Amino acid sequence: MKIVRIFEDRLFSLVDESEGSDELSRLLNLWSNVAFLYEYARSNGVADVRSFTRGVLLHLEQIQDRIERIRTKQEPMDYFFQPLSLIEHNRVLGLRKGKMTHNPLRIYGIKVDEDCFLITGGAIKMSQTMQGHPDTMNELLKMTRVRDFMIQEGVFDASSLNDLLFELL
């Protein structure tokens, strides 16, 4: 498993070995790819493909703006990364979803410490629950596997995550 630092000791991302890029970069590139969005809409039975595509591009812009505000410390990451469920709220290595109101784009990750997160992936929300669509279900499974790996490796805060990154070099 490979993890890279996105900015400072606050935001990290899993590396998708098959893509050769970190998950955040992969998602931002994928969601800005109009050909991908058209095909995704068609394969998911979206009636108005053009409207869907325009909407995703606008939502992507909102997320990019939010990430920039987080990077420049104008906002804490907890404003964006919300607990996946109530039981995850105070849990060590709690599962989180980066989301904005009325925005179908989700960035999934794990809260490692106060204002410290590891991005594990993301998806376009197409159903009420994560279990209702294969893409979000796969992301839930991936988050759980990564959290299990981190627990096994003794990660419980930002310092222990940095120790793990040093060991993985």
Side-chain angles (χ1 to χ4, degrees), residues 72-99:
T72 58
K73 297 184 180 179
Q74 295 171 14
E75 288 183 9
M77 280 195 248
D78 275 326
Y79 283 12
F80 181 62
F81 288 102
Q82 302 165 10
L84 203 55
S85 67
L86 291 175
I87 56 174
E88 296 293 335
H89 186 66
N90 289 321
R91 187 174 187 177
V92 173
L93 301 180
L95 303 181
R96 297 292 178 115
K97 59 185 170 190
K99 66 174 232 143

Side-chain angles (χ1 to χ4, degrees), residues 28-80:
L28 297 178
N29 287 330
L30 192 63
W31 293 338
S32 64
N33 182 326
V34 174
F36 165 79
L37 295 175
Y38 267 82
E39 182 54 38
Y40 187 84
R42 273 195 277 268
S43 66
N44 281 279
V46 173
D48 188 347
V49 173
R50 284 186 178 175
S51 178
F52 172 85
T53 301
R54 280 193 303 269
V56 169
L57 293 171
L58 288 173
H59 293 303
L60 175 59
E61 204 173 300
Q62 291 174 336
I63 285 179
Q64 289 171 318
D65 290 346
R66 174 63 57 93
I67 290 170
E68 181 60 22
R69 287 193 304 271
I70 290 169
R71 187 189 68 76
T72 58
K73 297 184 180 179
Q74 295 171 14
E75 288 183 9
M77 280 195 248
D78 275 326
Y79 283 12
F80 181 62

Side-chain angles (χ1 to χ4, degrees), residues 93 110 143-153:
L93 301 180
I110 298 169
M143 275 192 295
T144 303
R145 280 194 312 272
V146 172
R147 178 174 60 192
D148 291 347
F149 170 78
M150 292 172 72
I151 290 169
Q152 177 184 336
E153 294 296 320

Side-chain angles (χ1 to χ4, degrees), residues 90-156:
N90 289 321
R91 187 174 187 177
V92 173
L93 301 180
L95 303 181
R96 297 292 178 115
K97 59 185 170 190
K99 66 174 232 143
M100 298 173 69
T101 307
H102 306 296
N103 187 324
L105 304 179
R106 299 289 187 268
I107 297 176
Y108 296 108
I110 298 169
K111 181 174 183 174
V112 179
D113 210 335
E114 272 315 301
D115 215 33
C116 178
F117 291 82
L118 169 63
I119 294 172
T120 60
I124 300 173
K125 183 177 178 177
M126 300 298 288
S127 64
Q128 269 311 98
T129 66
M130 289 188 80
Q131 294 83 358
H133 192 273
D135 292 347
T136 48
M137 184 64 199
N138 287 337
E139 292 302 325
L140 179 60
L141 294 171
K142 186 183 348 174
M143 275 192 295
T144 303
R145 280 194 312 272
V146 172
R147 178 174 60 192
D148 291 347
F149 170 78
M150 292 172 72
I151 290 169
Q152 177 184 336
E153 294 296 320
V155 174
F156 57 90

Side-chain angles (χ1 to χ4, degrees), residues 14-31:
L14 201 59
V15 173
D16 182 329
E17 302 287 344
S18 65
E19 296 283 331
S21 66
D22 70 89
E23 283 293 320
L24 180 60
S25 298
R26 184 186 71 81
L27 292 168
L28 297 178
N29 287 330
L30 192 63
W31 293 338

